[in-house]
Amino acid sequence: MDINLPGMSGYEAMRKLQEWPETRAIPVIALSAAAMPRDTRRAAEAGFYRYLTKPVRVDELTGRSEELLLVPAAP
């Protein structure tokens, strides 16, 4: 999910996803051009699974996506 979505920030969207039982356990990878350590911390605190910076490296995005496929689903 891009952090700078039009009309709603990725952080706001993540909060909404975490509010609903149906979407609470879905892991979300954040994408942003902001690459400072504070940006990474904020994303972790918001509950994002991983935080990737732009330009996105395809191998990194693929690797993180594969991690998700290997993670057991929440009950």
Side-chain angles (χ1 to χ4, degrees), residues 10-28:
Y11 292 106
E12 185 178 347
M14 187 65 180
R15 276 192 300 275
K16 290 184 180 291
L17 289 171
Q18 290 176 333
E19 288 175 3
W20 300 325
E22 300 86 2
T23 56
R24 183 174 295 138
I26 296 172
V28 179

Side-chain angles (χ1 to χ4, degrees), residues 25-27 49-50 63-74:
I26 296 172
Y49 176 73
R50 292 285 186 271
R64 300 302 73 82
S65 298
E66 288 174 352
E67 285 175 8
L68 292 174
L69 294 173
L70 300 174
V71 174

Side-chain angles (χ1 to χ4, degrees), residues 1-74:
M1 176 186 307
D2 196 320
I3 294 297
N4 296 312
L5 296 170
M8 176 188 300
S9 77
Y11 292 106
E12 185 178 347
M14 187 65 180
R15 276 192 300 275
K16 290 184 180 291
L17 289 171
Q18 290 176 333
E19 288 175 3
W20 300 325
E22 300 86 2
T23 56
R24 183 174 295 138
I26 296 172
V28 179
I29 297 173
L31 301 174
S32 178
M36 300 298 291
R38 70 175 176 267
D39 301 314
T40 303
R41 275 193 309 276
R42 182 177 179 204
E45 291 167 359
F48 285 100
Y49 176 73
R50 292 285 186 271
Y51 184 81
L52 304 180
T53 57
K54 297 177 185 178
V56 176
R57 292 186 4 239
V58 174
D59 62 328
E60 184 177 20
L61 180 57
T62 302
R64 300 302 73 82
S65 298
E66 288 174 352
E67 285 175 8
L68 292 174
L69 294 173
L70 300 174
V71 174

